[in-house]
Amino acid sequence: MNRKKILGSHVKRLLSGVSDHGKRHLTEVETDLLQTNLLLEEAIEKLSQNFMAIHSAVNDQQGTIRLLLDGGTPSLDAKEKLEAMNEQVGTYVNAAITSMQFQDMTSQLIDRTLKRVTGLREFLATLGAHGAEMNPDSDNDEMVELLGKVSMALAIQSLELRNVLRKAVSQKHLESGDIELF
């Protein structure tokens, strides 16, 4: 293979690798952001439902409380309802607290997204730094050697970033079993 073809092959492989790396990480960033948005929407919906249920239960207790404040004696049925509503309020509060646990998963997703963006920025900075070393007057052998170094440095960075990001984000889903985000 002549020198011109070798150089062209190295440039093509380098540009394709940079493009593939960038697209892959930007797709993952998009996926993580969409999952974060879904988690936030679900958590807000669950919180709203639970707070409305708490409000309803407290309103239902008001009649019996007024009767007690007025010196009346509630019926046995009213006493049982009051106790049952107390348990319901506790259940709704616990459900609301559970719904707020989305913060853990969203923090993990945002952290992973930031690592991807930082990794991509470092990847591009490495490419830029090595590109600055390239002398336009270099002969083909020097350019092939530099492109080989660039490709190796970028491959190492890509592997290091992939290893950092391998950890899946997971937690109990707000309603139905485990979910894992990759």
Side-chain angles (χ1 to χ4, degrees), residues 65-88:
I65 292 171
R66 267 189 233 108
L67 177 66
L68 288 169
L69 289 174
D70 291 341
T73 304
S75 67
L76 182 58
D77 186 46
K79 288 179 184 179
E80 289 173 358
K81 278 186 177 180
L82 198 58
E83 285 193 29
M85 283 184 235
N86 187 42
E87 288 178 27
Q88 282 180 329

PDB file of all heavy atoms in Angstrom, residues 65-88:
ATOM      1  N   ILE A  65     -63.821  15.972  64.408  1.00  0.00           N
ATOM      2  CA  ILE A  65     -63.048  16.881  65.265  1.00  0.00           C
ATOM      3  C   ILE A  65     -63.925  18.037  65.736  1.00  0.00           C
ATOM      4  O   ILE A  65     -63.900  18.415  66.922  1.00  0.00           O
ATOM      5  CB  ILE A  65     -61.782  17.380  64.526  1.00  0.00           C
ATOM      6  CG1 ILE A  65     -60.814  16.208  64.338  1.00  0.00           C
ATOM      7  CG2 ILE A  65     -61.124  18.529  65.269  1.00  0.00           C
ATOM      8  CD1 ILE A  65     -59.633  16.508  63.445  1.00  0.00           C
ATOM      9  N   ARG A  66     -64.745  18.585  64.842  1.00  0.00           N
ATOM     10  CA  ARG A  66     -65.669  19.665  65.243  1.00  0.00           C
ATOM     11  C   ARG A  66     -66.635  19.194  66.330  1.00  0.00           C
ATOM     12  O   ARG A  66     -66.907  19.913  67.281  1.00  0.00           O
ATOM     13  CB  ARG A  66     -66.447  20.177  64.030  1.00  0.00           C
ATOM     14  CG  ARG A  66     -65.776  21.349  63.388  1.00  0.00           C
ATOM     15  CD  ARG A  66     -66.638  22.005  62.325  1.00  0.00           C
ATOM     16  NE  ARG A  66     -65.809  22.070  61.120  1.00  0.00           N
ATOM     17  CZ  ARG A  66     -65.960  21.327  60.026  1.00  0.00           C
ATOM     18  NH1 ARG A  66     -66.961  20.508  59.926  1.00  0.00           N
ATOM     19  NH2 ARG A  66     -65.133  21.453  59.037  1.00  0.00           N
ATOM     20  N   LEU A  67     -67.142  17.979  66.145  1.00  0.00           N
ATOM     21  CA  LEU A  67     -68.058  17.406  67.134  1.00  0.00           C
ATOM     22  C   LEU A  67     -67.376  17.311  68.490  1.00  0.00           C
ATOM     23  O   LEU A  67     -67.953  17.688  69.526  1.00  0.00           O
ATOM     24  CB  LEU A  67     -68.540  16.018  66.672  1.00  0.00           C
ATOM     25  CG  LEU A  67     -69.452  15.250  67.627  1.00  0.00           C
ATOM     26  CD1 LEU A  67     -70.805  15.975  67.772  1.00  0.00           C
ATOM     27  CD2 LEU A  67     -69.672  13.837  67.131  1.00  0.00           C
ATOM     28  N   LEU A  68     -66.130  16.852  68.503  1.00  0.00           N
ATOM     29  CA  LEU A  68     -65.378  16.742  69.756  1.00  0.00           C
ATOM     30  C   LEU A  68     -65.133  18.121  70.364  1.00  0.00           C
ATOM     31  O   LEU A  68     -65.245  18.303  71.585  1.00  0.00           O
ATOM     32  CB  LEU A  68     -64.047  16.024  69.529  1.00  0.00           C
ATOM     33  CG  LEU A  68     -64.124  14.522  69.273  1.00  0.00           C
ATOM     34  CD1 LEU A  68     -62.772  13.992  68.802  1.00  0.00           C
ATOM     35  CD2 LEU A  68     -64.571  13.778  70.532  1.00  0.00           C
ATOM     36  N   LEU A  69     -64.777  19.093  69.538  1.00  0.00           N
ATOM     37  CA  LEU A  69     -64.519  20.447  70.032  1.00  0.00           C
ATOM     38  C   LEU A  69     -65.780  21.092  70.610  1.00  0.00           C
ATOM     39  O   LEU A  69     -65.714  21.901  71.532  1.00  0.00           O
ATOM     40  CB  LEU A  69     -63.943  21.324  68.924  1.00  0.00           C
ATOM     41  CG  LEU A  69     -62.508  20.999  68.507  1.00  0.00           C
ATOM     42  CD1 LEU A  69     -62.106  21.841  67.293  1.00  0.00           C
ATOM     43  CD2 LEU A  69     -61.540  21.229  69.653  1.00  0.00           C
ATOM     44  N   ASP A  70     -66.917  20.729  70.046  1.00  0.00           N
ATOM     45  CA  ASP A  70     -68.187  21.263  70.542  1.00  0.00           C
ATOM     46  C   ASP A  70     -68.690  20.515  71.775  1.00  0.00           C
ATOM     47  O   ASP A  70     -69.772  20.792  72.278  1.00  0.00           O
ATOM     48  CB  ASP A  70     -69.257  21.211  69.440  1.00  0.00           C
ATOM     49  CG  ASP A  70     -68.963  22.190  68.317  1.00  0.00           C
ATOM     50  OD1 ASP A  70     -68.180  23.130  68.541  1.00  0.00           O
ATOM     51  OD2 ASP A  70     -69.511  21.995  67.200  1.00  0.00           O
ATOM     52  N   GLY A  71     -67.893  19.566  72.273  1.00  0.00           N
ATOM     53  CA  GLY A  71     -68.258  18.835  73.486  1.00  0.00           C
ATOM     54  C   GLY A  71     -69.094  17.600  73.220  1.00  0.00           C
ATOM     55  O   GLY A  71     -69.549  16.940  74.156  1.00  0.00           O
ATOM     56  N   GLY A  72     -69.287  17.265  71.966  1.00  0.00           N
ATOM     57  CA  GLY A  72     -70.086  16.093  71.632  1.00  0.00           C
ATOM     58  C   GLY A  72     -69.280  14.817  71.758  1.00  0.00           C
ATOM     59  O   GLY A  72     -68.064  14.816  71.934  1.00  0.00           O
ATOM     60  N   THR A  73     -69.984  13.735  71.700  1.00  0.00           N
ATOM     61  CA  THR A  73     -69.355  12.421  71.756  1.00  0.00           C
ATOM     62  C   THR A  73     -69.595  11.727  70.421  1.00  0.00           C
ATOM     63  O   THR A  73     -70.749  11.513  70.032  1.00  0.00           O
ATOM     64  CB  THR A  73     -69.961  11.568  72.897  1.00  0.00           C
ATOM     65  OG1 THR A  73     -69.841  12.287  74.117  1.00  0.00           O
ATOM     66  CG2 THR A  73     -69.254  10.230  73.012  1.00  0.00           C
ATOM     67  N   PRO A  74     -68.515  11.395  69.726  1.00  0.00           N
ATOM     68  CA  PRO A  74     -68.689  10.735  68.437  1.00  0.00           C
ATOM     69  C   PRO A  74     -69.203   9.305  68.609  1.00  0.00           C
ATOM     70  O   PRO A  74     -68.952   8.659  69.631  1.00  0.00           O
ATOM     71  CB  PRO A  74     -67.296  10.742  67.832  1.00  0.00           C
ATOM     72  CG  PRO A  74     -66.355  10.947  68.956  1.00  0.00           C
ATOM     73  CD  PRO A  74     -67.113  11.620  70.043  1.00  0.00           C
ATOM     74  N   SER A  75     -69.907   8.842  67.609  1.00  0.00           N
ATOM     75  CA  SER A  75     -70.405   7.463  67.639  1.00  0.00           C
ATOM     76  C   SER A  75     -69.230   6.502  67.513  1.00  0.00           C
ATOM     77  O   SER A  75     -68.122   6.889  67.135  1.00  0.00           O
ATOM     78  CB  SER A  75     -71.385   7.248  66.489  1.00  0.00           C
ATOM     79  OG  SER A  75     -70.689   7.325  65.255  1.00  0.00           O
ATOM     80  N   LEU A  76     -69.490   5.268  67.809  1.00  0.00           N
ATOM     81  CA  LEU A  76     -68.459   4.234  67.698  1.00  0.00           C
ATOM     82  C   LEU A  76     -67.964   4.165  66.247  1.00  0.00           C
ATOM     83  O   LEU A  76     -66.766   4.036  65.993  1.00  0.00           O
ATOM     84  CB  LEU A  76     -69.014   2.872  68.142  1.00  0.00           C
ATOM     85  CG  LEU A  76     -68.037   1.698  68.127  1.00  0.00           C
ATOM     86  CD1 LEU A  76     -66.834   1.992  69.019  1.00  0.00           C
ATOM     87  CD2 LEU A  76     -68.728   0.427  68.592  1.00  0.00           C
ATOM     88  N   ASP A  77     -68.911   4.286  65.320  1.00  0.00           N
ATOM     89  CA  ASP A  77     -68.566   4.265  63.893  1.00  0.00           C
ATOM     90  C   ASP A  77     -67.640   5.444  63.546  1.00  0.00           C
ATOM     91  O   ASP A  77     -66.658   5.277  62.826  1.00  0.00           O
ATOM     92  CB  ASP A  77     -69.846   4.325  63.049  1.00  0.00           C
ATOM     93  CG  ASP A  77     -69.558   4.172  61.570  1.00  0.00           C
ATOM     94  OD1 ASP A  77     -68.775   3.267  61.210  1.00  0.00           O
ATOM     95  OD2 ASP A  77     -70.101   4.974  60.774  1.00  0.00           O
ATOM     96  N   ALA A  78     -67.942   6.634  64.068  1.00  0.00           N
ATOM     97  CA  ALA A  78     -67.118   7.821  63.810  1.00  0.00           C
ATOM     98  C   ALA A  78     -65.726   7.647  64.417  1.00  0.00           C
ATOM     99  O   ALA A  78     -64.724   8.047  63.810  1.00  0.00           O
ATOM    100  CB  ALA A  78     -67.791   9.070  64.363  1.00  0.00           C
ATOM    101  N   LYS A  79     -65.650   7.056  65.604  1.00  0.00           N
ATOM    102  CA  LYS A  79     -64.345   6.811  66.242  1.00  0.00           C
ATOM    103  C   LYS A  79     -63.512   5.851  65.389  1.00  0.00           C
ATOM    104  O   LYS A  79     -62.307   6.056  65.195  1.00  0.00           O
ATOM    105  CB  LYS A  79     -64.525   6.238  67.643  1.00  0.00           C
ATOM    106  CG  LYS A  79     -65.022   7.221  68.657  1.00  0.00           C
ATOM    107  CD  LYS A  79     -65.182   6.532  70.009  1.00  0.00           C
ATOM    108  CE  LYS A  79     -65.775   7.467  71.047  1.00  0.00           C
ATOM    109  NZ  LYS A  79     -65.955   6.793  72.336  1.00  0.00           N
ATOM    110  N   GLU A  80     -64.150   4.794  64.893  1.00  0.00           N
ATOM    111  CA  GLU A  80     -63.437   3.818  64.061  1.00  0.00           C
ATOM    112  C   GLU A  80     -62.956   4.456  62.764  1.00  0.00           C
ATOM    113  O   GLU A  80     -61.839   4.200  62.303  1.00  0.00           O
ATOM    114  CB  GLU A  80     -64.338   2.616  63.770  1.00  0.00           C
ATOM    115  CG  GLU A  80     -64.569   1.733  64.971  1.00  0.00           C
ATOM    116  CD  GLU A  80     -65.598   0.627  64.726  1.00  0.00           C
ATOM    117  OE1 GLU A  80     -66.176   0.567  63.610  1.00  0.00           O
ATOM    118  OE2 GLU A  80     -65.822  -0.159  65.646  1.00  0.00           O
ATOM    119  N   LYS A  81     -63.815   5.315  62.161  1.00  0.00           N
ATOM    120  CA  LYS A  81     -63.424   6.019  60.937  1.00  0.00           C
ATOM    121  C   LYS A  81     -62.243   6.946  61.191  1.00  0.00           C
ATOM    122  O   LYS A  81     -61.319   7.037  60.379  1.00  0.00           O
ATOM    123  CB  LYS A  81     -64.599   6.831  60.390  1.00  0.00           C
ATOM    124  CG  LYS A  81     -65.579   6.048  59.583  1.00  0.00           C
ATOM    125  CD  LYS A  81     -66.616   6.991  58.979  1.00  0.00           C
ATOM    126  CE  LYS A  81     -67.566   6.244  58.097  1.00  0.00           C
ATOM    127  NZ  LYS A  81     -68.570   7.149  57.508  1.00  0.00           N
ATOM    128  N   LEU A  82     -62.276   7.616  62.355  1.00  0.00           N
ATOM    129  CA  LEU A  82     -61.194   8.540  62.706  1.00  0.00           C
ATOM    130  C   LEU A  82     -59.871   7.791  62.825  1.00  0.00           C
ATOM    131  O   LEU A  82     -58.835   8.239  62.324  1.00  0.00           O
ATOM    132  CB  LEU A  82     -61.536   9.263  64.013  1.00  0.00           C
ATOM    133  CG  LEU A  82     -60.763  10.533  64.325  1.00  0.00           C
ATOM    134  CD1 LEU A  82     -60.930  11.554  63.228  1.00  0.00           C
ATOM    135  CD2 LEU A  82     -61.216  11.101  65.661  1.00  0.00           C
ATOM    136  N   GLU A  83     -59.900   6.650  63.481  1.00  0.00           N
ATOM    137  CA  GLU A  83     -58.677   5.847  63.615  1.00  0.00           C
ATOM    138  C   GLU A  83     -58.216   5.322  62.253  1.00  0.00           C
ATOM    139  O   GLU A  83     -57.021   5.313  61.949  1.00  0.00           O
ATOM    140  CB  GLU A  83     -58.897   4.700  64.597  1.00  0.00           C
ATOM    141  CG  GLU A  83     -58.907   5.180  66.041  1.00  0.00           C
ATOM    142  CD  GLU A  83     -58.813   4.031  67.032  1.00  0.00           C
ATOM    143  OE1 GLU A  83     -58.212   2.985  66.688  1.00  0.00           O
ATOM    144  OE2 GLU A  83     -59.308   4.201  68.144  1.00  0.00           O
ATOM    145  N   ALA A  84     -59.186   4.877  61.444  1.00  0.00           N
ATOM    146  CA  ALA A  84     -58.829   4.362  60.117  1.00  0.00           C
ATOM    147  C   ALA A  84     -58.221   5.478  59.264  1.00  0.00           C
ATOM    148  O   ALA A  84     -57.249   5.254  58.526  1.00  0.00           O
ATOM    149  CB  ALA A  84     -60.057   3.778  59.429  1.00  0.00           C
ATOM    150  N   MET A  85     -58.776   6.688  59.357  1.00  0.00           N
ATOM    151  CA  MET A  85     -58.246   7.817  58.582  1.00  0.00           C
ATOM    152  C   MET A  85     -56.839   8.169  59.032  1.00  0.00           C
ATOM    153  O   MET A  85     -55.996   8.547  58.221  1.00  0.00           O
ATOM    154  CB  MET A  85     -59.165   9.027  58.711  1.00  0.00           C
ATOM    155  CG  MET A  85     -60.415   8.912  57.866  1.00  0.00           C
ATOM    156  SD  MET A  85     -61.366  10.414  58.004  1.00  0.00           S
ATOM    157  CE  MET A  85     -62.931   9.739  58.531  1.00  0.00           C
ATOM    158  N   ASN A  86     -56.566   8.030  60.323  1.00  0.00           N
ATOM    159  CA  ASN A  86     -55.223   8.292  60.844  1.00  0.00           C
ATOM    160  C   ASN A  86     -54.227   7.336  60.181  1.00  0.00           C
ATOM    161  O   ASN A  86     -53.137   7.749  59.764  1.00  0.00           O
ATOM    162  CB  ASN A  86     -55.214   8.148  62.364  1.00  0.00           C
ATOM    163  CG  ASN A  86     -53.892   8.576  62.953  1.00  0.00           C
ATOM    164  OD1 ASN A  86     -53.325   9.576  62.536  1.00  0.00           O
ATOM    165  ND2 ASN A  86     -53.399   7.822  63.908  1.00  0.00           N
ATOM    166  N   GLU A  87     -54.598   6.074  60.069  1.00  0.00           N
ATOM    167  CA  GLU A  87     -53.732   5.095  59.411  1.00  0.00           C
ATOM    168  C   GLU A  87     -53.579   5.423  57.929  1.00  0.00           C
ATOM    169  O   GLU A  87     -52.498   5.293  57.356  1.00  0.00           O
ATOM    170  CB  GLU A  87     -54.285   3.684  59.594  1.00  0.00           C
ATOM    171  CG  GLU A  87     -54.139   3.165  61.012  1.00  0.00           C
ATOM    172  CD  GLU A  87     -54.731   1.777  61.181  1.00  0.00           C
ATOM    173  OE1 GLU A  87     -54.797   1.017  60.190  1.00  0.00           O
ATOM    174  OE2 GLU A  87     -55.124   1.447  62.317  1.00  0.00           O
ATOM    175  N   GLN A  88     -54.690   5.858  57.303  1.00  0.00           N
ATOM    176  CA  GLN A  88     -54.635   6.228  55.886  1.00  0.00           C
ATOM    177  C   GLN A  88     -53.664   7.388  55.660  1.00  0.00           C
ATOM    178  O   GLN A  88     -52.872   7.363  54.720  1.00  0.00           O
ATOM    179  CB  GLN A  88     -56.018   6.645  55.376  1.00  0.00           C
ATOM    180  CG  GLN A  88     -56.943   5.510  55.086  1.00  0.00           C
ATOM    181  CD  GLN A  88     -58.286   6.033  54.576  1.00  0.00           C
ATOM    182  OE1 GLN A  88     -58.730   7.115  54.952  1.00  0.00           O
ATOM    183  NE2 GLN A  88     -58.927   5.245  53.739  1.00  0.00           N
TER     184      GLN A  88
END
